[in-house]
Amino acid sequence: MKIKTQNIYLILIGVFMLNLISCQKESSDVTEEVWTTVEKRMTTWKERDKNGQLKIYHPNFRRWKNDTLQTKETFIGDWTFTDMQINDIQIEKREIQFFTEANLSVAHYKVKETLEWIGDDFQEDDFKRDNGQVWTEDYLVSDYYIKEGERWLYIGGVVK
């Protein structure tokens, strides 16, 4: 009888370990799905791919821009840069939080953009840009994504 009890314990431990390994792999896969969406959001931003960017946005997207709470349509309304272009974007991944019951994730990361002034020389008060001038800007970003079907969609966030 003792042998059967030990076998049952070994089987239960084995099932538990397989379940644990399976959950870790699933968690890793889901984390990678979110980072892939973050990278796509940044790539479409850099390439000024408005349609690609809009495909990532959830219909109920909201985010502050200055003192106005923007929707998907109003936020993307100012899409074209006429005087500058983004030469490079680097993402430093920090952490993703998951809120499984709501299929919600929050991706925290840093962004470093390298920009180039391609317009005419410009000066207004203390702000000055010369044609060809290159500079970098750093941002701290927390993006909120909600999973619908097989896709993670950008529903809002904070950039500072």
Side-chain angles (χ1 to χ4, degrees):
M1 190 70 167
K2 233 181 187 186
I3 293 174
K4 288 183 180 181
T5 304
Q6 287 176 342
N7 286 343
I8 290 173
Y9 285 134
L10 287 174
I11 290 169
L12 289 174
I13 290 171
V15 168
F16 174 76
M17 293 303 290
L18 284 173
N19 191 33
L20 181 64
I21 290 168
S22 174
C23 288
Q24 287 175 337
K25 171 141 178 43
E26 183 178 313
S27 175
S28 174
D29 290 348
V30 173
T31 299
E32 196 53 42
E33 287 175 13
V34 175
W35 283 128
T36 298
T37 305
V38 167
E39 289 167 349
K40 184 170 184 167
R41 187 169 102 70
M42 289 293 104
T43 299
T44 56
W45 172 253
K46 177 184 181 282
E47 294 172 356
R48 310 313 299 154
D49 177 2
K50 185 175 182 177
N51 291 330
Q53 184 84 184
L54 286 171
K55 287 177 185 174
I56 298 167
Y57 282 57
H58 189 278
N60 295 326
F61 169 87
R62 298 288 183 276
R63 191 174 117 185
W64 288 104
K65 186 172 183 183
N66 301 323
D67 292 336
T68 305
L69 188 59
Q70 302 270 300
T71 65
K72 173 180 174 176
E73 291 75 20
T74 59
F75 189 76
I76 296 292
D78 257 349
W79 185 253
T80 54
F81 287 159
T82 54
D83 296 324
M84 64 181 161
Q85 69 184 17
I86 302 169
N87 290 343
D88 187 41
I89 290 184
Q90 297 173 11
I91 301 169
E92 182 182 319
K93 300 173 185 175
R94 288 300 176 102
E95 176 184 350
I96 293 184
Q97 296 173 279
F98 288 98
F99 303 92
T100 333
E101 301 80 30
N103 283 328
L104 177 71
S105 66
V106 182
H108 305 284
Y109 57 101
K110 289 183 172 185
V111 172
K112 181 177 186 173
E113 285 185 339
T114 304
L115 301 145
E116 180 178 354
W117 190 260
I118 58 173
D120 295 334
D121 292 353
F122 178 81
Q123 181 162 0
E124 184 175 289
D125 300 324
D126 291 339
F127 181 81
K128 181 180 179 192
R129 292 284 188 235
D130 295 323
N131 184 274
Q133 182 179 353
V134 175
W135 72 97
T136 61
E137 294 186 9
D138 297 312
Y139 305 100
L140 300 172
V141 182
S142 293
D143 281 349
Y144 305 146
Y145 293 91
I146 191 162
K147 188 161 190 179
E148 290 199 349
E150 297 299 312
R151 299 177 54 217
W152 287 96
L153 298 173
Y154 180 43
I155 197 161
V158 178
V159 176
K160 97 175 201 183

